[in-house]
Amino acid sequence: MSNIIYLGYDFRVEPIQPGVEILIAELGYLGFESFVETEVGVTAYIQKEDFNPEMIEEVDILNSKAFEISYTFNEIEQTNWNEEWEKNFNPIVVDNVCSVRAPFHDKPNTQYDIVIEPKMSFGTGHHETTHMMIQHILSHDFTGESVLDMGCGTAVLAILAEFKGATTIDAIDIDNWCYINSLENIERNNCEYISVYEGDASLLKDKKYDIIIANINRNILLQDMQTYASCLTGKGTLFLSGFYNDDIPLITEACERNNLELQQQLERNNWVALKFDKI
C-alpha cells in the first residue's frame, strides 16, 4: 500500500450547512473515500488511480445557484500520512473519563485510554459527532451486550464499547482504508471481541444486536434506518450521529416509523447525537 497516491480536494463551501453534507454524499457516491470537515468546507480524498476529471462534472451541487463552492487539489502520498498525523493529532479527553490518543502521546490518567493511529480514517474524537458518541457510550451500560459499530472509521467507538463490557461487537465500514485501520487499532488496544467487516448495510441480513452505533451522514442513516431497526433486539438501543440540529425532525420521523422512540439528545456546535430505544 505504500505506493498508493491519493488526491486531496479542498472545497470551500458557502453556506457551509447543508452544503458540506450534500457535497460529501455526492462525492461518496463517486468513489471519494475519506472526508475531513474544515472551518470553511471539507477536504475529500480519493485514490488517484480511481479518479478521472469528469467525476467533478457529475457533482450536482457544484452547479447549484444556492451554493458558492470553489476547490483546489493536490497529490498526497500515503506514506507521508502518519507523519502528518504525528504533527497535527493532539490527544483528547472526554468528560475526564475517556482519552483518545496516538501511541507517541503520554498516557493520561483516565479510566478508558484508547490508542489509535487514525491515518486517513474518520473518527478521532476531535469531530463533534465522534465526541458526542463517546459521551453516549460512557453513559450507557454495555455489559454483556452485542454491538454494531456502523461506519466504524477508526473503530474508536467499537473499542470503547468493548472497554465498557460488550462481548460481541461487529465493526463495519465501506471504506477499505477504514477497514484496515480498524484492524490495526483493535490489535493495538488488545481487543478480543471485535470483528471488522468491509461493506455496507447489506452485510446485516439476519443479524441481531442489543446496541447499534451509527455515526454516518444523514442520507445514509435515512436510507438504512429500517435495516437498523430490524437488527435491534426487543429492547435494543440505537445511537445516531453525523447530522445537524436541523435534521432532527427527519431522523426522528424515520425512527418513529420503525418503532424507535427518542430518549436523549446531545448537541455540540450544531451537530447532534441522538439515543433511541426500540418500543
Side-chain angles (χ1 to χ4, degrees):
M1 294 182 63
S2 61
N3 59 348
I4 295 177
I5 303 297
Y6 274 80
L7 297 178
Y9 270 76
D10 295 307
F11 291 92
R12 177 181 288 269
V13 183
E14 295 181 9
I16 198 166
Q17 300 172 13
V20 165
E21 180 181 338
I22 298 170
L23 181 59
I24 288 175
E26 292 192 24
L27 292 173
Y29 284 126
L30 293 176
F32 281 76
E33 298 180 4
S34 301
F35 305 93
V36 177
E37 296 192 34
T38 66
E39 292 183 357
V40 296
V42 64
T43 302
Y45 299 96
I46 188 171
Q47 289 190 33
K48 185 177 181 180
E49 64 180 24
D50 295 335
F51 179 81
N52 69 71
E54 295 176 358
M55 281 184 172
I56 297 297
E57 298 175 10
E58 298 177 31
V59 182
D60 292 337
I61 192 175
L62 297 183
N63 301 313
S64 171
K65 295 180 179 179
F67 301 94
E68 291 186 15
I69 302 177
S70 59
Y71 62 85
T72 58
F73 72 93
N74 63 302
E75 290 189 2
I76 301 169
E77 291 192 22
Q78 192 167 312
T79 50
N80 292 335
W81 200 258
N82 286 352
E83 181 181 347
E84 291 303 310
W85 273 108
E86 189 162 338
K87 291 176 184 175
N88 299 301
F89 176 43
N90 297 314
I92 68 158
V93 176
V94 178
D95 297 342
N96 295 316
V97 177
C98 177
S99 55
V100 183
R101 64 182 177 91
F104 48 83
H105 293 136
D106 293 334
K107 184 177 180 179
N109 183 26
T110 55
Q111 183 177 358
Y112 304 107
D113 178 35
I114 301 174
V115 181
I116 63 171
E117 286 203 43
K119 300 180 182 176
M120 290 184 72
S121 302
F122 175 85
T124 61
H126 291 79
H127 193 275
E128 285 86 346
T129 59
T130 310
H131 188 105
M132 289 184 292
M133 290 297 254
I134 289 173
Q135 289 181 304
H136 270 311
I137 294 172
L138 290 174
S139 64
H140 193 80
D141 185 7
F142 279 71
T143 306
E145 302 284 65
S146 57
V147 177
L148 167 65
D149 180 5
M150 194 70 196
C152 61
T154 60
V156 63
L157 301 179
I159 292 167
L160 181 57
E162 176 164 332
F163 286 0
K164 286 276 294 177
T167 51
T168 304
I169 306 163
D170 288 343
I172 298 176
D173 205 292
I174 198 169
D175 184 338
N176 176 256
W177 186 265
C178 291
Y179 167 75
I180 294 169
N181 190 217
S182 291
L183 289 171
E184 294 171 346
N185 289 327
I186 286 164
E187 181 179 1
R188 183 172 288 111
N189 288 274
N190 300 311
C191 293
E192 300 178 7
Y193 303 116
I194 303 174
S195 301
V196 185
Y197 303 93
E198 182 179 351
D200 57 18
S202 63
L203 297 177
L204 300 179
K205 185 178 179 181
D206 299 325
K207 294 279 193 175
K208 286 290 184 182
Y209 303 96
D210 300 312
I211 300 168
I212 295 178
I213 303 163
N215 185 11
I216 315 175
N217 78 63
R218 182 195 70 181
N219 294 338
I220 300 298
L221 291 176
L222 293 172
Q223 171 187 298
D224 295 336
M225 194 69 71
Q226 185 175 356
T227 301
Y228 301 151
S230 67
C231 289
L232 280 174
T233 55
K235 297 288 186 178
T237 298
L238 175 64
F239 294 106
L240 299 175
S241 195
F243 49 91
Y244 298 111
N245 185 285
D246 291 344
D247 298 317
I248 292 176
L250 272 176
I251 296 291
T252 302
E253 181 184 2
C255 287
E256 289 176 347
R257 285 200 307 268
N258 290 280
N259 298 315
L260 295 164
E261 185 175 66
L262 181 62
Q263 301 295 324
Q264 186 181 7
Q265 173 181 331
L266 299 178
E267 183 171 347
R268 189 177 173 91
N269 295 329
N270 205 37
W271 293 91
V272 292
L274 307 180
K275 174 186 177 183
F276 292 86
D277 282 346
K278 194 168 185 179
I279 57 174

